[in-house]
Amino acid sequence: MKSHEHETTSPPLWRNHNYLLLQGGQLVSSIGNQQQGIALPLLVLALTGSVVQAGLAVSLSTIAVLVVSPLAGVLADKWNRKRTMVICDAGRMLITLTIPLALWFHALTMPQLYVVLTLAGVLGTMFSVANTAALPNVVTRDQLPVALSQSQAAYSCVRTFGSLLGGILYSLGEVFPFLVNAVSFGASVFSLGLIRGNFQSRREGSSFPLHKAVAEGFSWLWKQPLLRFLTLVNGADSLRYGAGYLVILVLARELHTSSSGIGAIFTAAAVGALLGNLVSNRVRRYVSFGKIAISMLWLEALMFPLYALAPNALVMGFIAAAEEFVGPIYTISLDSYRLMATPDSMRGRTSSTVQFVVLGAQSVGAIIGGLLIQGIGAKCSALLLGGWLLLLAIATTLNRQVRRARSQ
C-alpha cells in the first residue's frame, strides 16, 4: 500500500479493496458505539438517579483523550498502524463484554463501569488517531474529500437508524446495546485482518525523544493560523456539544418521552447530518470554506436555544435535524484541508492534537452539563449554551482569515 502522495492513478473507491474493508469495519463498529452511546446515560440514571454521574459516565468514554491522545499520535507515526488498530479493537471487544456479563449476573457496579469506560476510551483514542492518519494512504489526494464525505455519510446513516435502534434495544433489555457494541468490535477486527498491506508509506516517525515528538504535533498546528483558530473554536463548540447532549436528553425526559422517543430525537439529528453529507461535495464547489464555517456556527447559535421552548419530542427532533445539517459540510472541508496540508510522518500527531482539543473539551462539557442541569435546570442550561454558541459565531465572523478561507 503506497501513500497517495506518490501515486498518480488509483482504482475508483468502489474497487479499492482496502478502502472498502476499512470503511466496512468502521461502519459496523459505529453501529455498536451508537447503541452504547444511547443506552449508557439511561443505564446510569436507572442505577443511580444522578445526572452528575450520568455526565461523568458519558465523559469517561472520551476523557482518556486528555492523557492518551498526544502519546497516541506519536505511536501512530512510529508503530504499524494496522496492527495497532487490530489490537485496540480486540481489547475494546473483551472489556466491553464485561458489562453485559455483569448485568446478566446482577453484579454491575459503578466502579466497574467507570473502569471499563476509561480503558475503552484509551484504546478508542489510539484507534481513532491511527485510523485518521491511515486514510490518506488508502486513497489518492483527489479521492480524499469524497472518501471523507462517504465516511461521514455512512456515520450519519448509522446515527439515523442506530439511535432509534439503541432506544428500542434498551427498552427490550439493558444488556443488549452493550452486547451489540462488543460484537461490533469483533467485526472490525475481522475486517482489518483481511486488509493487505500497512497504513503508512514508511515508519520513520520522529527521531526526537518522546516528549519532543509529542510537542511536534502541537507546534506544527500552532504555526498554522487558520487551523489553529478553527481547532480552538471546534474545542469550544465541542464543550457545548458534550453538555448539550445531556441537556437534550434531560429535556426530553421532562417531557415524559420514552426511551425509543429519545432515540428518535437523535435519529432526527442524524437525518439532518445525512442530508448535509449528501450535498457536501456540491456545496464545497460553490461556497467557500470560510462561509461554511461561519454559517455552521450561526445556525447552531440560533437553533440550540429552541430546545428549551420545544413542547414535545417531535419539535425537538426537527430542531436537532436543522442544527446538524451544516456540520458535515464543514467537517469534511476542514478534515480534507488539514490532512492534505500535513506530511504523512506527522499525521498521527496532528490528528491527535485535534482530537485532544475537541474530544477533551467534549468530555469536560459532559461533566459541566450535569452540573449545570443540577444547578439551574435543563431549560436555563440550553439558553446559556446558546449564548456560548453566539459568542463563537461572532468571533469566527470577525476573523479575517476565516472569511477569506477557501477549500483545498
Side-chain angles (χ1 to χ4, degrees), residues 36 40 43 94-104 108 112-113 116-117 174-175 178:
Q36 181 168 308
L40 178 61
L43 176 63
L94 293 176
I95 61 176
T96 302
L97 276 174
T98 65
I99 297 178
L101 285 174
L103 284 171
W104 272 327
L108 181 65
Q112 177 194 342
L113 196 59
V116 169
L117 293 172
E174 18 180 62
V175 68
F178 301 96

Side-chain angles (χ1 to χ4, degrees), residues 323-336:
E323 185 193 4
E324 289 280 340
F325 178 77
V326 179
I329 304 172
Y330 167 71
T331 300
I332 293 165
S333 300
L334 178 58
D335 287 349
S336 299

Side-chain angles (χ1 to χ4, degrees), residues 135-197:
L135 183 60
N137 296 294
V138 179
V139 301
T140 66
R141 182 184 182 91
D142 290 341
Q143 290 174 336
L144 183 59
V146 178
L148 288 170
S149 177
Q150 290 182 358
S151 177
Q152 288 284 333
Y155 176 66
S156 296
C157 287
V158 168
R159 290 178 59 197
T160 301
F161 301 104
S163 297
L164 184 59
L165 179 60
I168 294 174
L169 283 176
Y170 184 82
S171 65
L172 293 176
E174 18 180 62
V175 68
F176 292 114
F178 301 96
L179 182 60
V180 168
N181 194 30
V183 172
S184 75
F185 289 133
S188 175
V189 171
F190 178 76
S191 176
L192 288 168
L194 295 177
I195 297 178
R196 297 187 297 269

Side-chain angles (χ1 to χ4, degrees), residues 149-150 152-154 156-157 271-283 285 325 328-329 332:
S149 177
Q150 290 182 358
Q152 288 284 333
S156 296
C157 287
V271 170
L274 177 59
L275 293 175
N277 273 293
L278 294 176
V279 303
S280 62
N281 288 328
R282 183 179 297 249
V283 171
R285 286 198 295 266
F325 178 77
I329 304 172
I332 293 165

Side-chain angles (χ1 to χ4, degrees), residues 93-257:
M93 176 185 67
L94 293 176
I95 61 176
T96 302
L97 276 174
T98 65
I99 297 178
L101 285 174
L103 284 171
W104 272 327
F105 290 102
H106 305 287
L108 181 65
T109 63
M110 289 307 299
Q112 177 194 342
L113 196 59
Y114 289 152
V115 170
V116 169
L117 293 172
T118 300
L119 292 176
V122 170
L123 295 175
T125 299
M126 295 186 64
F127 182 96
S128 178
V129 171
N131 182 62
T132 301
L135 183 60
N137 296 294
V138 179
V139 301
T140 66
R141 182 184 182 91
D142 290 341
Q143 290 174 336
L144 183 59
V146 178
L148 288 170
S149 177
Q150 290 182 358
S151 177
Q152 288 284 333
Y155 176 66
S156 296
C157 287
V158 168
R159 290 178 59 197
T160 301
F161 301 104
S163 297
L164 184 59
L165 179 60
I168 294 174
L169 283 176
Y170 184 82
S171 65
L172 293 176
E174 18 180 62
V175 68
F176 292 114
F178 301 96
L179 182 60
V180 168
N181 194 30
V183 172
S184 75
F185 289 133
S188 175
V189 171
F190 178 76
S191 176
L192 288 168
L194 295 177
I195 297 178
R196 297 187 297 269
N198 296 318
F199 287 157
Q200 62 247 76
S201 57
R202 58 189 181 277
R203 268 184 290 157
E204 296 176 358
S206 173
S207 59
F208 293 122
L210 181 61
H211 68 283
K212 291 186 177 180
V214 170
E216 278 187 303
F218 287 92
S219 177
W220 185 90
L221 188 63
W222 189 259
K223 293 176 182 178
Q224 316 301 314
L226 178 60
L227 289 179
R228 179 182 64 209
F229 175 81
L230 291 176
T231 299
L232 293 174
V233 170
N234 275 359
D237 188 25
S238 292
L239 190 75
R240 184 277 318 176
Y241 187 87
Y245 180 87
L246 200 57
V247 168
I248 295 170
L249 190 149
V250 173
L251 284 172
R253 284 170 59 92
E254 290 179 353
L255 293 173
H256 307 291
T257 306

